Amino acid sequence: KFNADVRRVTYFNNLFNFVNPVPFANSEHSSNIKHTFGDFDLTLLPQNETIRFTIGGSFNNTNGLGSTTDRFFSDEFPILTDTRAKSHDLRFGAEGKLFGFDWGLSQGYRTFKDRSTGFLDAVNQGNNPTNQARIDTYFRTSPINGEVYFTQGHVHRTFAKKLDFTARLIYSSASSHSSRVQTMTGRDNTNPTGILVTSDSINVSANAKRPQTRGDLGITYAVTDNFRISNTFSFDQFSVNGDEVFNEIWTKASGATLRSETRSSAYRVNTFRRFVNTLEGDYQFSNAVALHLGYRYTKRDVNNSGFNRSCTFTTGICTPTTTLIAESETNSTNAVIAGMKIRPVKIWTIYWDLEHGRADNVFTRLENYKYTNFRVRSRVKLNKVSFNFSAMSKDNENASLPKASITLPATVSYITNTQNRYVSGTVDWEPMTNLSF
């Protein structure tokens, strides 16, 4: 069995009313991009329940010209852009059934690169013609190379029609190397005539790596024909570590400072670990009444460490200033889940479900959300006419903490409350098979 899907998207914009000093002229923020991408997947023995093999590949190419703006010497300058980016994927695996288990295992590899550039094709005075600023030459390139390895496995089995077991594990490791080289010459905005900038060069180099592990485990046990207990456990952890080195040197033809150099470097290790466990019970009292109750618990640990180092000097030796960084945070939340299905009479069915508790507010310096979500739906069917009604209520309280440097009156409440209500209803009539209202 072979599936192929190839697509091309042409994206064009020319925003006349945005960063455009001359009305109705070509915009300085424009884009004319062709995006071509596709997927190819081959399955060997697709109808074989014991084992099936899969192999696939994908490609993603983006290229085209455009424009943007950059700010120098207290002025805004239009910059031409040439976008060149591509990526390729290769994946293979197998799946089937072994000793009563449904299983699958796949391995993949992805590589990507970006060779986009920005440049000027002529001397530019900038968007403000009244000042002295000018760019004579400008070129910028930001090459990126990266690769990703990923492995995914899953297994499932039902034992004696009583115990259902499902598990999945995903591991991936992504790494990248990026850099930027930017050179420029021109004239700054120093009054009265400006000073010639004979050279302004920027060199940046950075590396990053992100390994991640994600696991899910679900177990459902039928205690009786009417009572089931299920537990779902999820685990997610990743680490992002990277370093960066920055160096800029500029020289001027005249003035008090003829040369200046700025050096900086940084290193970070960010780790994230999160557990989520949901326990639920379902009980079927009769064909007319069913109830489920549940409880969800989450726990998250985040750590951030590293350093910043920088210095700027015009003569002599650069003496860097180093700032160490070490932060950690632990957070947990709880929530209650409930719901029912009620059929008072044969033609009338009512569903409702409720979720109340706290939600994790990841990567923001805020407290947990306090939320209550409620939903109800009613359906009455009379021969060929049915009446449907549904309502939903969502309350959310987002408690935040003010900055320590800000002093506000004690009467100020640092809480944002949102309340949403939705109500809808329909009447459906189907007098015959080929006609409905």
Side-chain angles (χ1 to χ4, degrees):
K1 180 181 178 181
F2 177 69
N3 291 330
D5 180 16
V6 178
R7 286 167 285 176
R8 167 171 284 185
V9 176
T10 300
Y11 176 75
F12 174 81
N13 76 62
N14 194 5
L15 306 177
F16 296 114
N17 60 340
F18 185 65
V19 194
N20 188 21
V22 181
F24 304 107
N26 285 333
S27 169
E28 292 179 356
H29 281 216
S30 63
S31 181
N32 190 0
I33 301 293
K34 290 187 183 300
H35 183 194
T36 308
F37 51 104
D39 301 289
F40 307 92
D41 291 286
L42 174 67
T43 304
L44 303 177
L45 308 175
Q47 296 179 323
N48 191 332
E49 292 187 359
T50 302
I51 189 169
R52 299 178 294 278
F53 299 96
T54 60
I55 184 171
S58 302
F59 73 95
N60 193 324
N61 297 331
T62 303
N63 60 82
L65 301 176
S67 62
T68 184
T69 54
D70 216 336
R71 186 167 181 83
F72 301 99
F73 313 133
S74 302
D75 201 351
E76 204 80 22
F77 292 86
I79 305 297
L80 301 175
T81 60
D82 185 3
T83 300
R84 294 284 183 270
K86 62 175 59 178
S87 66
H88 296 91
D89 293 69
L90 179 64
R91 51 193 176 272
F92 58 91
E95 60 182 6
K97 182 173 290 188
L98 181 66
F99 302 121
F101 287 91
D102 300 314
W103 63 275
L105 181 65
S106 61
Q107 174 68 46
Y109 172 73
R110 179 174 187 259
T111 178
F112 59 92
K113 63 172 57 178
D114 192 321
R115 293 297 183 268
S116 301
T117 59
F119 59 93
L120 284 180
D121 56 0
V123 175
N124 196 288
Q125 296 289 340
N127 290 338
N128 183 5
T130 63
N131 63 16
Q132 310 300 325
R134 184 187 73 205
I135 293 183
D136 296 333
T137 62
Y138 176 89
F139 181 77
R140 179 188 70 211
T141 179
S142 304
I144 301 174
N145 292 306
E147 59 184 8
V148 183
Y149 298 88
F150 55 92
T151 305
Q152 174 176 312
H154 68 270
V155 62
H156 166 262
R157 183 177 178 180
T158 301
F159 297 88
K161 297 183 180 181
K162 282 280 192 179
L163 180 65
D164 188 83
F165 168 86
T166 302
R168 180 184 66 168
L169 182 65
I170 303 173
Y171 175 79
S172 65
S173 179
S175 60
S176 69
H177 174 74
S178 58
S179 60
R180 166 169 285 196
V181 176
Q182 179 176 302
T183 60
M184 180 186 65
T185 63
R187 184 176 61 193
D188 68 14
N189 194 33
T190 304
N191 288 323
T193 59
I195 296 177
L196 289 178
V197 178
T198 57
S199 174
D200 186 353
S201 64
I202 295 176
N203 286 273
V204 186
S205 177
N207 298 280
K209 190 171 184 179
R210 184 184 190 275
Q212 179 179 13
T213 303
R214 170 68 190 262
D216 301 284
L217 175 63
I219 299 176
T220 300
Y221 178 65
V223 181
T224 66
D225 292 339
N226 298 326
F227 182 38
R228 294 184 306 170
I229 299 176
S230 62
N231 191 86
T232 304
F233 175 78
S234 297
F235 169 75
D236 189 11
Q237 74 169 9
F238 61 84
S239 174
V240 182
N241 62 83
D243 64 89
E244 177 245 3
V245 177
F246 172 91
N247 188 55
E248 180 180 14
I249 302 175
W250 58 258
T251 59
K252 294 184 178 182
S254 61
T257 304
L258 299 180
R259 183 184 186 277
S260 178
E261 182 172 355
T262 299
R263 298 177 184 175
S264 69
S265 60
Y267 181 75
R268 289 289 189 283
V269 177
N270 298 298
T271 60
F272 172 90
R273 182 180 291 111
R274 185 169 184 253
F275 303 89
V276 181
N277 193 81
T278 304
L279 177 65
E280 291 186 274
D282 299 87
Y283 193 84
Q284 184 83 30
F285 292 94
S286 64
N287 291 332
V289 179
L291 169 70
H292 76 267
L293 294 173
Y295 169 73
R296 180 184 297 120
Y297 173 76
T298 69
K299 187 176 186 298
R300 168 172 57 90
D301 296 305
V302 179
N303 294 279
N304 181 21
S305 61
F307 66 85
N308 294 335
R309 182 176 296 136
S310 63
C311 66
T312 300
F313 63 103
T314 56
T315 59
I317 300 175
C318 174
T319 303
T321 300
T322 302
T323 303
L324 298 178
I325 296 173
E327 298 177 328
S328 63
E329 180 189 2
T330 299
N331 183 58
S332 60
T333 63
N334 303 271
V336 177
I337 306 167
M340 288 189 73
K341 174 185 175 182
I342 306 172
R343 181 176 290 178
V345 292
K346 186 176 180 181
I347 62 172
W348 184 18
T349 307
I350 302 172
Y351 306 88
W352 68 262
D353 56 80
L354 170 73
E355 188 169 339
H356 172 74
R358 294 174 178 262
D360 197 358
N361 213 342
V362 184
F363 295 136
T364 57
R365 298 180 183 277
L366 301 175
E367 293 184 355
N368 294 320
Y369 292 126
K370 297 178 182 179
Y371 69 95
T372 302
N373 298 332
F374 178 75
R375 180 176 57 180
V376 62
R377 184 163 66 93
S378 172
R379 177 177 175 85
V380 177
K381 185 170 180 60
L382 299 170
N383 197 6
K384 297 182 178 182
V385 180
S386 61
F387 301 87
N388 299 277
F389 171 80
S390 64
M392 186 183 299
S393 169
K394 290 189 174 185
D395 294 348
N396 191 84
E397 180 182 294
N398 184 8
S400 63
L401 298 176
K403 292 183 178 180
S405 59
I406 299 178
T407 303
L408 292 176
T411 56
V412 174
S413 177
Y414 306 102
I415 295 177
T416 300
N417 289 309
T418 59
Q419 296 180 342
N420 296 288
R421 305 289 184 263
Y422 308 93
V423 178
S424 64
T426 64
V427 178
D428 303 313
W429 176 39
E430 189 175 350
M432 60 185 69
T433 303
N434 298 327
L435 181 63
S436 62
F437 296 91

